[in-house]
C-alpha cells in the first residue's frame, strides 16, 4: 500500500471526524458554563478562558517547534551517508533553566487569579442583609428547596430574585448528589451529614436549568431542577402566593367535582403517604406538593407541567423516569384509571392556582 493510498483515505476520514466532533460544540445552550448569567459563573468563565488561551499559546509554540523539527530534520536520501550522531545539547544550562523556569512562570500567572477566585467565591459565606438563604436537600432523585426565613418548602424549582446573593446550604438525605446550575456557577456536592455551602446570583430574569452532577444511581440523569430568577417584585409575588394559601383544602369559587374527587383520591390512593401538601397531608418521602399548580415542571424538571404530562407521570411513573420510587397507582387494565388520573391531575394543578383564592367551598365534598 502506497503512502498516497493512505493519505487519500485517512485525510478525508479525519476531516469528517473533526467536523462531526466540532458539530457538538455550541456555547450558548441552556446548560452551558460558557454562557454565564451571573457574577460567579462569569468569574469562573474568565478564569477558564485565561487558562484556555495560555494552553493554546503553549500548544501552538510546542506543536510549531515539533513540526519545524520534523520537517527540518526529515530523512533525505542524499544526506544518508553523512548521518552520524547529531550534536548533543545535554547539559546546556541555558536551555535546561529555560524549560524548567518557563512552566513555573506560566503556572504562577494562572495560579494567582485561581487562588484569588477561590477566595472570592468562598464556600463559607456569612449571610448579610439582603441575602436569600435556601436549604437544599438532595434526595433520590429530586431536590428540596426550603426557605427558612420565608417558611416555604418546595421542590425542584428554586425561585430567586435577580441581583441578590443566594446562599445555598447543601445537604443530602441519602447518597452523594451535586448541585450544578452551569449558567450561574460551579457545582458543589451534597453529602449526607455534612453542611456544604454555595452561593450564586442571577443577572437577569430567566429559567436556568440545573442538574445533579454526581452519579447517584438509577435516575441520576433525571435529577434535574430549574432556577427561576425573577425581578424583585415578581419574586415577592411568588412568595406571597406561596405563603397565602395557608391550607390547600380546595377553594374554588364554583366547586369543581373533579377537583374534589382528586383531593379524595390523593388522600385514599396512597399519595398522601409520601407527599406533603400544606394543611392537607404530611408525607415525607417525596417532594412537597404545596402550590403544585405554580410549578413549571414535574418529575424533577424532566417534563413541562402540563395536564397531559402530569397524567402520563401519574399513570406510568417508571416510563417517564426509570428507577424512581413513585409506585404505579393503577393495575394494568384498571377501568377507573383514566377517570381517577384525570381527577388527580385536576386537583394537583389547582393547587396555588388563582381560582383558589376565594372562599372554601364549605361542606362540598365529592362522594
Ligand atoms: Cu443526584 Cu445524581
Amino acid at each position: 500500500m502506497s503512502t498516497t493510498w493512505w493519505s487519500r483515505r485517512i485525510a478525508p476520514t479525519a476531516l469528517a471526524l473533526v467536523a462531526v466532533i466540532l458539530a457538538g460544540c455550541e456555547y450558548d445552550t441552556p446548560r452551558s458554563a460558557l454562557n454565564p448569567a451571573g457574577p460567579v459563573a462569569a468569574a469562573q468563565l474568565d478564569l477558564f478562558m485565561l487558562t484556555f488561551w495560555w494552553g493554546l499559546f503553549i500548544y501552538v509554540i510546542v506543536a510549531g517547534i515539533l513540526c519545524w523539527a520534523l520537517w527540518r530534520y526529515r530523512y533525505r536520501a542524499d544526506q544518508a551517508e553523512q548521518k552520524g550522531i547529531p550534536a548533543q545539547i545535554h547539559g546546556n544550562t541555558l536551555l535546561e533553566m529555560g524549560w524548567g523556569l518557563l512552566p513555573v512562570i506560566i503556572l504562577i500567572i494562572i495560579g494567582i487569579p485561581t487562588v484569588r477566585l477561590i477566595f472570592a467565591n468562598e464556600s463559607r459565606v456569612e449571610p448579610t442583609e439582603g441575602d436569600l438563604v435556601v436549604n437544599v436537600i438532595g434526595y433520590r432523585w429530586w431536590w428540596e428547596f426550603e426557605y427558612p426565613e420565608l417558611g416555604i418548602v418546595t421542590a425542584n424549582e428554586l425561585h430567586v430574585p435577580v441581583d441578590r446573593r443566594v446562599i445555598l446550604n447543601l445537604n443530602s438525605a441519602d447518597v452523594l448528589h451535586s448541585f450544578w446550575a452551569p449558567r450561574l456557577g460551579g457545582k458543589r456536592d451534597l453529602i449526607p451529614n455534612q453542611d456544604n455551602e454555595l452561593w450564586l446570583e442571577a443577572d437577569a430574569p430567566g429559567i436556568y436549568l440545573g442538574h445533579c452532577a454526581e452519579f447517584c444511581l438509577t435516575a441520576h440523569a433525571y435529577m434535574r431542577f430549574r432556577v427561576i430568577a425573577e425581578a424583585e417584585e415578581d419574586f415577592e409575588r411568588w412568595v406571597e402566593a406561596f405563603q397565602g394559601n395557608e391550607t390547600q383544602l380546595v377553594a374554588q369559587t364554583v366547586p369543581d367535582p373533579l377537583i374534589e374527587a382528586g383531593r379524595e383520591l390523593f388522600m385514599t390512593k396512597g399519595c398522601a403517604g409520601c407527599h406533603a401538601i400544606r394543611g392537607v397531608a404530611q408525607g415525607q418521602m417525596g417532594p412537597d406538593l404545596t402550590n403544585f399548580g405554580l410549578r413549571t415542571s414535574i418529575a424533577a424538571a424532566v417534563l413541562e407541567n402540563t395536564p397531559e404530562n402530569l397524567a402520563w407521570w401519574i399513570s406510568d411513573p417508571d416510563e417517564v423516569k426509570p428507577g424512581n420510587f413513585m409506585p404505579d397507582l393503577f393495575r394494568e387494565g384498571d377501568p377507573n384509571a383514566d377517570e381517577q388520573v384525570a381527577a388527580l391531575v385536576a386537583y394537583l394543578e389547582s393547587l396555588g392556582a388563582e381560582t383558589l383564592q376565594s372562599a372554601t367551598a364549605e361542606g362540598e365534598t365529592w362522594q
Side-chain angles (χ1 to χ4, degrees):
M1 270 173 266
S2 66
T3 329
T4 21
W5 186 90
W6 278 106
S7 47
R8 273 208 201 117
R9 273 149 192 85
I10 286 189
T13 314
L15 275 175
L17 208 68
V18 168
V20 168
I21 293 168
L22 287 179
C25 299
E26 208 180 343
Y27 75 94
D28 58 351
T29 55
R31 265 180 263 244
S32 173
L34 301 177
N35 185 18
V40 176
Q44 287 169 343
L45 178 63
D46 286 347
L47 181 63
F48 170 77
M49 291 315 289
L50 176 80
T51 321
F52 171 79
W53 289 120
W54 270 104
L56 188 67
F57 173 68
I58 294 162
Y59 172 76
V60 167
I61 289 180
V62 172
I65 293 174
L66 179 69
C67 290
W68 173 79
L70 286 172
W71 179 81
R72 173 75 181 75
Y73 298 103
R74 71 193 184 282
Y75 175 79
R76 272 174 288 190
D78 59 324
Q79 291 174 358
E81 278 83 60
Q82 301 162 23
K83 272 193 148 185
I85 295 174
Q88 296 300 291
I89 51 166
H90 173 77
N92 184 315
T93 318
L94 191 68
L95 276 178
E96 296 203 354
M97 292 280 282
W99 60 56
L101 276 175
L102 205 64
V104 172
I105 293 168
I106 293 166
L107 282 181
I108 290 172
I109 293 174
I110 293 170
I112 290 171
T114 305
V115 173
R116 267 225 309 258
L117 190 63
I118 289 172
F119 281 95
N121 287 349
E122 207 175 2
S123 57
R124 297 262 155 226
V125 276
E126 281 303 314
T128 49
E129 183 80 35
D131 288 345
L132 178 70
V133 178
V134 183
N135 299 331
V136 181
I137 300 174
Y139 289 82
R140 283 175 296 166
W141 290 272
W142 57 279
W143 306 82
E144 181 176 279
F145 298 121
E146 183 200 3
Y147 299 69
E149 289 150 3
L150 303 172
I152 290 175
V153 179
T154 186
N156 304 324
E157 291 187 358
L158 176 64
H159 282 252
V160 299
V162 293
D163 296 329
R164 252 168 80 183
R165 193 163 69 156
V166 182
I167 297 175
L168 305 170
N169 298 316
L170 309 169
N171 218 310
S172 168
D174 37 54
V175 297
L176 298 184
H177 303 280
S178 181
F179 182 98
W180 191 30
R183 295 194 61 202
L184 298 175
K187 60 186 87 146
R188 184 142 302 138
D189 280 3
L190 289 84
I191 302 171
N193 303 317
Q194 180 180 313
D195 299 319
N196 278 356
E197 271 183 20
L198 179 70
W199 70 270
L200 46 83
E201 198 177 303
D203 284 338
I207 295 183
Y208 302 103
L209 303 186
H211 209 292
C212 177
E214 176 81 52
F215 180 62
C216 53
L217 306 173
T218 332
H220 157 73
Y222 296 98
M223 187 172 167
R224 304 175 194 170
F225 60 93
R226 292 179 175 183
V227 180
I228 301 178
E230 296 158 310
E232 193 67 42
E233 328 64 274
D234 293 330
F235 176 71
E236 295 298 333
R237 212 168 298 139
W238 175 78
V239 170
E240 272 168 38
F242 221 98
Q243 293 171 333
N245 301 313
E246 259 315 313
T247 58
Q248 304 223 314
L249 286 167
V250 183
Q252 316 93 334
T253 333
V254 182
D256 182 334
L258 195 63
I259 293 177
E260 292 289 351
R263 188 177 65 82
E264 289 281 322
L265 285 165
F266 186 86
M267 301 307 290
T268 55
K269 205 74 185 158
C271 313
C274 294
H275 295 281
I277 292 178
R278 195 174 53 204
V280 176
Q282 283 84 38
Q284 296 290 317
M285 294 269 291
D288 190 308
L289 301 177
T290 302
N291 288 310
F292 180 85
L294 299 178
R295 303 227 185 123
T296 67
S297 62
I298 56 171
V302 170
L303 295 174
E304 294 298 317
N305 184 4
T306 65
E308 296 75 33
N309 284 341
L310 184 58
W312 180 29
W313 175 221
I314 291 172
S315 37
D316 200 346
D318 222 50
E319 191 181 66
V320 174
K321 192 167 165 176
N324 84 93
F325 294 140
M326 192 154 84
D328 271 336
L329 291 180
F330 304 97
R331 269 179 292 108
E332 192 89 273
D334 184 335
N336 299 319
D338 288 349
E339 196 189 326
Q340 296 193 343
V341 167
L344 281 166
V345 168
Y347 170 61
L348 289 170
E349 297 292 11
S350 76
L351 299 174
E354 278 170 344
T355 46
L356 297 191
Q357 279 157 17
S358 44
T360 315
E362 280 174 358
E364 293 278 348
T365 47
W366 177 78
Q367 297 303 322

